[in-house]
Structures are given as structure tokens and as C-alpha cells.
Amino acid sequence: MIYKKDISFSFIRDVVSMYGVAAANLLLPIFFIPYASSKVGIENFGTFAVLAAFFQYGIMFVEFGTTSPLVRLLASNAAISIFWDAVTVRFYLFIIALAAIVFIAVFLLNYNDVLVFIIGAASLLGTVFNPMAIYQAKGKLPHFSLITFVSRVIVTLFATALLQFKQDLWIVFAFQFLPVFIVSIISVVFLVKRNELRVKFQSGFFKNKELSRDSISFFMGTVFSSGYTVAVPLIVNYFFGGYAAGVYGIVDRVTQPVKQIIMPIVNIIYPKVCAVRLIDRSEAIRFSVKTSLFLTGLCVLFISLALILIDYIVLYVFKNSVETQYLYPMAVNVFCVYISQILIFLFVVPSGRGNVLKIIYAWMLVFFMGSILFSIYIKSLVSVYWVLACVELLGMLLLFFISYYSVKKNSVL
């Protein structure tokens, strides 16, 4: 088959190169975050978690769900100039997001660290020009990953050295958000220098109607999903205190890289599946099913190894085993996120059902809002973790039923 020939060598090459980089990207946050929390203190790290949540909201708002639709359109031979359509929209949203975050931080939270605002603004601007969709659609993700890895190593070494002399939160912010800006700028310059992308300035809002429709759908899904994930540190800080927010922030930060470890393979397969479905839908679905079963096995292996490593990290930070109780619901959470990522990018989106994501995430948000009230009522931090696990489990099951329906409808198994 054409599809098998197309993915054989390039697929193996891309997976090997990306996982070499991903392994290092996984280890850097896992070891830096405990070190940083020991320097700035757990309660101060809680402050970081709260402020970081606002900038995560900002990044989500600026990105506006444009990346995945761009990948699909570019993989289907759309003109690369469509990238600047997304950049224009992102820039308008960047201005709105930055103004809102600064207003909330200064006037509502009484926080006025200028360096934190500058780093946060840089991360939002980096999101505006993020060209990952081009690299992903054109099969050049290893290049993008290498730029990401080198940038993160440099920033990590810089932040680690500074923490020896100063225990300021802006240093932790630099580790978390500065690579977003550096990677985007270097990646765009690289494409321009190789004449693979021409700089184009334009006005207007979503000139491409297909990009507009799919981006809005993805954005609404992201809003609903991030409505509970990003809001958790704010809720924990308000109802359980700064120390509890610090605990949540540390455990969440060291498990976030684990949630993303399966994505290198998914990111490589996704544009290929989108392109080949136009030629041979049955073959693309068969490959997606076989790959999803293989990736599920990898998920179990990754989570088992990660639990052992993170267990030691939590013991190192908190000096006791009490906080390790949060790892078990986090393991369920991570597994459900893994499977959901596989279902979304191998079945739901390629089949043209990306519009259902906002509905699924809306139900997840409703379930979260009802369940989190119970956790607040009983004042149990560990129940917050179990609520998140159950929310992700609900989303995974809904995605599974949609994916199963898609496969059965095509009758290829």
C-alpha cells in the first residue's frame, strides 16, 4: 500500500529522533521543579502555580484552537500562506489576553513583578508566531523538537544557576514560559531562511472559512477542558490555602511531562492519517486501530515507570510519604489523557468529527463543577485529584464510543 511505503522509513526515523529529544524534555522539568520548590518554598510555589494558571489561560486564548486545523489543512496541500491568517488572529487575541492578565494580577491579586509580566508577555507573543503546525504537517517535527530541546536546556541551566543566588519567582517563570518565545522565533526564522515560508503581513479576521470553523470548534473544546484543569490551582489556593496549592503545583508540574510523552508518535501519525484518508480511508482506519493498540501498551509501561520515579521525587520534596497518595489518582488521570489523545488524533479529528470535542468537554466541565463542590465541602485535597481522574475517565469513554462508531460505520475491521 502507498500508505505503508510512505510511513516506513520516515516514520521510524521521526519517532527515534523525537523520542531522543522527548526523553530529555521529560527529565528537565521533573528534576528542576523539585529543586526550584526547595529554593523558593512550597507556599511561594503555590503563588507561581496561581499566576502560571492565568498565563496558561492566555496561551490557550491566543492559540485559539488554530494549530490542529492548520496541520490538517497543510497536510491536505493547502497553501502555506494560511499560516499568516492564523498569526493575524492570534495577534489580535494576544493584545486582549495580555491586557486582561495584567489587570487581574495588578488590581485583583496585588501582584506587580514586572519581570514576570515581561516573561509572560513573551510567551503569549511566542504563541502568536508558533509554527509547529508547519513542521508537523510537512514531516519536520524532529527539527522543531531539537530547537525546543536546545532552548529548554539553555533556559534550564540559566534558571538553575540564578536560583543559587536569588530565590525569585520570575526565575521559575522563565523556566516555564521563556522557551515558548525562543522556540517560536527561532523556528520561524529557520523556515524563512530556508525559503519555506515568506513573511506576510495582513489584516482581517479568519479569511479562510474552513480554518475559522475548525479553530472555533477546537477553541471551544479547549476552553471547556481547560476550564477545569487550569482552574484547579486557583480553586485549591482559595479553599485549601497556599501550601495545598504548592503541593498541587509541584505534583502537577512533575506529571505534566509524563502526560505528553506519547505525543511524539501521535504528532507524527496525525498528519499522515489526515492525508491518506483522502486516498484510502479504510487503510488509514486499519492503521489507526493497530497503532492505537500498540500505543495503549506503551501507555501502561510509561505510567508504571513514571510512578516509580515521581514517587521518589515527591518523597524528596516533602520528606514524607503523605503526599504520595496523590500519585494514584494522577496515574488514572494520565492514563485517561493518553488514551484520549490517541482517540482524538487518530480517529475523531481525521474522521471530520472534531466539532464534537466541545460537546464532550462541556459535559466534562459540568461533571467537574458538580464534583469539585463535594471536595470543597468535605475539605479533602486528595478528593480533588480523584475528581480530575474521574473527569478524564468520562472524557475518554465518550471519545471511545465516538471512535468506535466511526470505525463501525466504515466497516473496515
Side-chain angles (χ1 to χ4, degrees), residues 15 27 55 61 63-64 85 145 181 195-196 249 257 283 308:
V15 169
L27 294 176
F55 280 105
F61 180 69
E63 196 270 338
F64 203 69
D85 191 8
S145 298
F181 175 77
N195 294 320
E196 297 180 21
E283 178 64 19
I308 297 173

Side-chain angles (χ1 to χ4, degrees), residues 258-279:
V258 181
K259 293 182 180 180
Q260 298 300 317
I261 199 172
I262 205 71
M263 287 307 293
I265 294 180
V266 175
N267 285 334
I268 293 169
I269 295 174
Y270 168 55
K272 296 182 183 296
V273 172
C274 291
V276 176
R277 280 184 69 96
L278 300 175
I279 303 171

Side-chain angles (χ1 to χ4, degrees), residues 41 43 46 52 94 213 221 258 273 281 285 288 300 303 308 355 395 401:
E43 289 200 22
F94 158 76
R213 181 197 65 204
V258 181
V273 172
R281 177 174 298 184
I285 293 177
S288 296
V300 176
I303 292 173
I308 297 173
N355 60 319
F401 287 126

Side-chain angles (χ1 to χ4, degrees), residues 108-410:
L108 300 183
L109 300 180
N110 295 319
Y111 192 85
N112 54 8
D113 191 330
V114 176
L115 285 175
V116 167
F117 293 146
I118 292 175
I119 294 169
S123 70
L124 296 178
L125 192 60
T127 304
V128 171
F129 293 98
N130 187 355
M132 189 183 77
I134 298 176
Y135 285 86
Q136 187 173 349
K138 302 304 179 181
K140 296 182 178 180
L141 266 178
H143 298 80
F144 186 83
S145 298
L146 182 60
I147 295 171
T148 302
F149 169 65
V150 173
S151 301
R152 184 162 287 283
V153 167
I154 293 174
V155 172
T156 301
L157 293 175
F158 172 74
T160 302
L162 281 180
L163 283 174
Q164 292 284 345
F165 307 100
K166 302 181 70 175
Q167 287 75 49
D168 295 339
L169 279 184
W170 72 263
I171 301 175
V172 186
F173 260 84
F175 167 82
Q176 184 71 27
F177 292 105
L178 196 56
V180 177
F181 175 77
I182 297 174
V183 170
S184 293
I185 300 304
I186 294 177
S187 299
V188 169
V189 171
F190 180 78
L191 290 172
V192 172
K193 289 291 185 181
R194 291 173 60 91
N195 294 320
E196 297 180 21
L197 179 67
R198 292 185 177 181
V199 178
K200 179 181 178 182
F201 298 99
Q202 63 183 51
S203 59
F205 201 86
F206 274 136
K207 293 184 177 180
N208 186 287
K209 300 303 180 183
E210 191 173 0
L211 177 62
S212 170
R213 181 197 65 204
D214 291 351
S215 295
I216 292 173
S217 179
F218 266 91
F219 174 71
M220 293 303 297
T222 305
V223 167
F224 288 131
S225 65
S226 298
Y228 60 89
T229 55
V230 183
V232 170
L234 307 178
I235 294 172
V236 171
N237 181 71
Y238 185 82
F239 290 100
F240 295 91
Y243 182 85
V247 171
Y248 176 84
I250 293 168
V251 175
D252 181 61
R253 296 292 165 177
V254 297
T255 54
Q256 279 299 327
V258 181
K259 293 182 180 180
Q260 298 300 317
I261 199 172
I262 205 71
M263 287 307 293
I265 294 180
V266 175
N267 285 334
I268 293 169
I269 295 174
Y270 168 55
K272 296 182 183 296
V273 172
C274 291
V276 176
R277 280 184 69 96
L278 300 175
I279 303 171
D280 190 340
R281 177 174 298 184
S282 298
E283 178 64 19
I285 293 177
R286 286 192 188 96
F287 180 81
S288 296
V289 171
K290 294 177 181 178
T291 305
S292 64
L293 294 175
F294 170 73
L295 292 179
T296 301
L298 281 183
C299 291
V300 176
L301 176 62
F302 286 148
I303 292 173
S304 300
L305 295 175
L307 272 177
I308 297 173
L309 177 61
I310 295 174
D311 182 61
Y312 283 109
I313 293 174
V314 172
L315 285 172
Y316 166 77
V317 173
F318 298 106
K319 311 303 181 185
N320 62 68
S321 61
V322 174
E323 277 72 16
T324 59
Q325 64 182 315
Y326 306 128
L327 297 181
Y328 303 111
M330 289 300 287
V332 177
N333 186 313
V334 171
F335 177 78
C336 294
V337 169
Y338 274 167
I339 304 303
S340 295
Q341 290 171 344
I342 295 170
L343 295 173
I344 288 172
F345 290 104
L346 297 191
F347 296 99
V348 178
V349 176
S351 66
R353 291 182 171 84
N355 60 319
V356 304
L357 292 177
K358 59 179 179 291
I359 301 174
I360 292 175
Y361 288 130
W363 279 108
M364 293 168 67
L365 180 59
V366 170
F367 179 79
F368 168 78
M369 292 174 63
S371 303
I372 200 67
L373 292 175
F374 176 74
S375 296
I376 294 172
Y377 176 75
I378 65 175
K379 297 182 179 179
S380 171
L381 182 59
V382 71
S383 69
V384 173
Y385 288 83
W386 280 113
V387 166
L388 290 174
C390 291
V391 169
E392 294 294 346
L393 177 61
L394 173 63
M396 183 193 72
L397 292 175
L398 292 174
L399 288 167
F400 175 80
F401 287 126
I402 293 172
S403 302
Y404 180 77
Y405 171 78
S406 175
V407 173
K408 291 289 290 183
K409 184 179 179 180
N410 285 273

